[in-house]
Amino acid sequence: MQINIENFRCFHKNQSVGVRPLNLLIGENSAGKTSFLAAIRLLFDIFDKNETASFNKNPFYLGAFENISHYRGGRFGRASSFSFEVKGEMRWRDIRRDQVDLFSDYSDEYYPNSFRLKINFCKKKSQPSISDVEFSSGKFRAEVVFSEAVSVTVSTPSVERYSYVDDFSLVNSEDNMNLSNFGMMIRYAEFQKNISDENKDRAFTGEIRSLYKVYLNALNSLPENIYASAPVRTRPERTYNPTDSIQSPDGGHIPYVLAELSYFDVRKWRGIKEHLDEFGRLSGLFKEVAVKKVGASAGGPFQIIIDRLHGGKSNLMDVGYGVSQALPIIADTLRAPKNTMFLFQQPEVHLHPRAQAELGSFFAKLIKLKRHTLFVETHSEYLIDRIRMAVRDGVDIKPEDVSILYFHRKGHDVKINTINFDEMGNLIDAPPGYRDFFLNEEMRSLGIDF
C-alpha cells in the first residue's frame, strides 16, 4: 500500500510513502510526524460508517483550514486545497468465492491488480471540506464532485464516460466528513443511465455492478480497524470502579479491559496475560500483572496488582510510571483483531533504555503474530537498534517488513525519506541528516555545544 499527501500542513510537494507492516517515524520536533499520522487516521476513518472523521479528534487536533492547508509564505501564500491518496493491491482471494458468478463471463480486465483512491479538500466556512473523490482500478473509474449538487462520473470497459447529477443531501451536508456512501453513489448510476445504444446499455448495467464490487473489494483490502494513541497515557488509580471499556487514546480503558477479560473471557485473558508477563520480565518492568477483586462481586471495584521482579506485589499506583505507560500498548495490540492499523506517538515515553529496546523486540514479534500495520513515531535509538537486530537475526521480521521514515525540514517544506534495511539490519541509503539527527541528540545529552 502507498499513501500520498500534498499541500497538507508542512508538506508542500507530493510526499509518497510505501506502507510496510512496521513503519518507524524519525525526525526533529515540528517536522510533521504527528501531522502525517493524523492524515493517515482521517484517510481511513472517512470511509468507515462507524467512525466520525475529523481533523480535530483525540489525540490529533489540527485546527481549521488555515492551520491545515500548506503555507509557503510570501507571495505564494496558502494553498487553496490539499489532497490525500491511497494506492493498494487487490485481495481478490478474500471474496473471490462470492464473485465467481459475477465475473465468470469476463476477461482478466475484470480482476484488476491494483486500485487508487484520492480525496481532495477545499475550504468551506473556514473548515476543510471534501471537494471531490476519485476511484480507479483497471478500466473502472468513478469520480464524485461535491457542490450544491453531487456530480457523479463513471467509466467502464464499454462506456468511456457517463455522468449524472443528484441531490444526495444527506451525503453533502456541510459538517459531513464521511464517504461510506461513496459506493452507493457509484451503484446509483445503474438507475440513472440514459444510453441510446441498447447493447451498450445492457453491458453498462452489469459493469456498474462490477465497478461497485471492485470498489468494495478495494475497501476490503484496507486495514479493517485503526487506532491512534496519545504520547502520554493516563495516570494509574489505586482502585477502579467498573465502567465501559471504550478504547481511548490515553489508554485509560485498559484496566477495565483487563478486568473484563479476567472475569468473563478467561481463555483470552490467559493468552494476553502470558504475553504481558513475558514483556514485563524481558523489559525489567515487572514479573506478573493480575486483577484483584475488592469484594466478592465481579461487578464491584477492583485493583491492578503488579508482581515486581524484586520486592513482592504492589498496587499499580505504587510501581514505576513506566508500567502503566507500557500496559496499554501491549494489551491493545494483543487483543485487537488481525489487520488493525496502530498509530503510536512516542510509545517509549517513561520507559528506561532496556524497556525501550524490548518494546522494539515486541513490535517485531507482533508483526508475525497478528499481521498488524504499525506506525511508530519515536525518538528512541534503543528501540530502533533492537528492531535492526531482529532483522539481522531473521526470526520475527524480514528487511522488507520494516522501514524508517525520516522527516527532514527545509524552510517551509518537509520531505519524507524512506530508509530501508538489508538482511544484516544495516540501513540502506540513509541521508546524512538522519545520522546527524541522532549524533546531535547525543551531543545535547552530554551538554556539548556544537
Side-chain angles (χ1 to χ4, degrees):
M1 182 167 58
Q2 178 180 312
I3 293 175
N4 298 333
I5 57 177
E6 186 174 4
N7 277 330
F8 173 73
R9 300 280 280 189
C10 55
F11 306 102
H12 168 43
K13 296 181 179 179
N14 179 60
Q15 297 294 311
S16 181
V17 171
V19 178
R20 309 286 178 85
L22 179 55
N23 310 270
L24 304 171
L25 281 62
I26 308 295
E28 295 181 353
N29 292 332
S30 300
K33 302 185 297 298
T34 301
S35 294
F36 181 74
L37 294 178
I40 294 174
R41 205 267 296 275
L42 187 128
L43 179 59
F44 293 111
D45 272 358
I46 212 164
F47 291 97
D48 189 342
K49 65 180 179 181
N50 298 315
E51 292 292 340
T52 301
S54 172
F55 288 104
N56 296 285
K57 177 181 174 182
N58 196 15
F60 307 120
Y61 296 93
L62 303 189
F65 185 88
E66 295 296 319
N67 310 109
I68 296 173
S69 182
H70 179 73
Y71 179 72
R72 296 191 64 191
R75 62 186 179 87
F76 296 104
R78 187 171 301 280
S80 60
S81 64
F82 61 90
S83 66
F84 299 159
E85 183 179 46
V86 58
K87 298 179 180 179
E89 298 297 316
M90 290 291 192
R91 292 179 180 172
W92 289 110
R93 61 184 181 277
D94 292 342
I95 61 171
R96 180 162 292 203
R97 184 175 298 176
D98 299 328
Q99 302 285 341
V100 171
D101 292 339
L102 179 64
F103 292 108
S104 58
D105 295 331
Y106 297 124
S107 64
D108 290 341
E109 68 185 14
Y110 283 78
Y111 293 95
N113 294 321
S114 61
F115 67 90
R116 171 180 172 267
L117 260 170
K118 184 175 183 180
I119 311 170
N120 295 304
F121 297 86
C122 63
K123 181 179 179 180
K124 190 172 185 179
K125 293 187 177 179
S126 80
Q127 295 298 320
S129 178
I130 300 171
S131 60
D132 58 278
V133 186
E134 305 170 42
F135 170 75
S136 60
S137 180
K139 293 187 177 182
F140 294 100
R141 185 176 180 274
E143 179 181 10
V144 175
V145 178
F146 297 93
S147 186
E148 294 181 0
V150 180
S151 173
V152 181
T153 301
V154 296
S155 300
T156 68
S158 66
V159 176
E160 183 176 348
R161 181 183 177 88
Y162 175 77
S163 300
Y164 75 92
V165 177
D166 205 286
D167 183 13
F168 289 116
S169 56
L170 292 177
V171 177
N172 198 34
S173 61
E174 293 181 358
D175 60 347
N176 183 36
M177 286 283 283
N178 189 292
L179 289 172
S180 60
N181 289 320
F182 185 72
M184 177 195 71
M185 289 183 274
I186 294 174
R187 184 66 187 271
Y188 198 56
E190 176 185 348
F191 307 103
Q192 293 284 326
K193 64 183 185 298
N194 183 20
I195 301 174
S196 57
D197 187 322
E198 184 177 343
N199 292 327
K200 187 173 289 189
D201 179 273
R202 188 180 303 111
F204 181 70
T205 298
E207 288 173 352
I208 285 296
R209 297 174 186 174
S210 299
L211 169 56
Y212 175 68
K213 287 289 187 178
V214 170
Y215 170 72
L216 293 183
N217 191 58
L219 292 189
N220 186 60
S221 303
L222 300 177
E224 297 174 11
N225 305 281
I226 188 164
Y227 170 66
S229 80
V232 178
R233 286 158 285 285
T234 188
R235 294 182 62 85
E237 299 179 19
R238 188 167 300 281
T239 301
Y240 296 90
N241 292 306
T243 185
D244 292 335
S245 55
I246 299 174
Q247 200 167 42
S248 62
D250 64 5
H253 59 291
I254 284 301
Y256 307 102
V257 167
L258 298 182
E260 193 174 85
L261 289 172
S262 67
Y263 296 158
F264 306 113
D265 196 340
V266 176
R267 182 178 178 181
K268 189 172 184 178
W269 163 242
R270 286 173 179 169
I272 290 178
K273 184 178 184 303
E274 180 181 348
H275 288 287
L276 279 171
D277 295 344
E278 180 186 40
F279 175 81
R281 292 190 298 271
L282 293 175
S283 65
L285 289 174
F286 57 88
K287 185 191 299 182
E288 184 180 6
V289 60
V291 178
K292 178 184 177 182
K293 296 179 184 178
V294 180
S297 172
F302 65 92
Q303 297 177 339
I304 301 297
I305 303 300
I306 303 298
D307 192 350
R308 299 170 180 258
L309 288 171
H310 310 286
K313 298 180 180 181
S314 299
N315 189 286
L316 180 63
M317 190 81 170
D318 301 320
V319 298
Y321 201 42
V323 177
S324 61
Q325 297 296 281
L327 284 179
I329 298 168
I330 309 303
D332 272 335
T333 52
L334 289 172
R335 74 188 186 97
K338 291 183 178 180
N339 199 30
T340 294
M341 178 177 283
F342 285 90
L343 311 177
F344 287 122
Q345 298 181 74
Q346 300 177 45
E348 73 274 8
V349 169
H350 296 295
L351 298 183
H352 56 67
R354 177 183 170 186
Q356 293 179 33
E358 190 55 42
L359 189 60
S361 294
F362 174 77
F363 285 151
K365 294 175 184 176
L366 194 68
I367 297 305
K368 183 177 180 180
L369 179 68
K370 297 287 286 188
R371 295 192 304 177
H372 291 329
T373 299
L374 307 181
F375 283 87
V376 181
E377 176 194 351
T378 180
H379 294 283
S380 173
E381 198 166 7
Y382 301 104
L383 186 152
I384 296 170
D385 284 344
R386 187 62 71 85
I387 291 173
R388 291 176 60 185
M389 294 177 195
V391 172
R392 178 198 64 193
D393 297 340
V395 177
D396 298 308
I397 193 168
K398 300 176 182 177
E400 59 268 25
D401 292 332
V402 59
S403 69
I404 292 176
L405 305 178
Y406 175 58
F407 290 65
H408 177 59
R409 179 176 285 279
K410 293 188 68 175
H412 290 286
D413 299 343
V414 168
K415 178 176 175 56
I416 304 176
N417 297 275
T418 298
I419 305 172
N420 298 309
F421 292 78
D422 66 17
E423 293 183 352
M424 295 305 295
N426 299 312
L427 303 184
I428 302 175
D429 298 329
Y434 173 79
R435 301 188 189 281
D436 292 343
F437 169 74
F438 283 109
L439 177 61
N440 293 343
E441 290 302 306
E442 183 67 22
M443 293 178 72
R444 285 192 184 98
S445 70
L446 297 173
I448 301 174
D449 293 329
F450 54 92

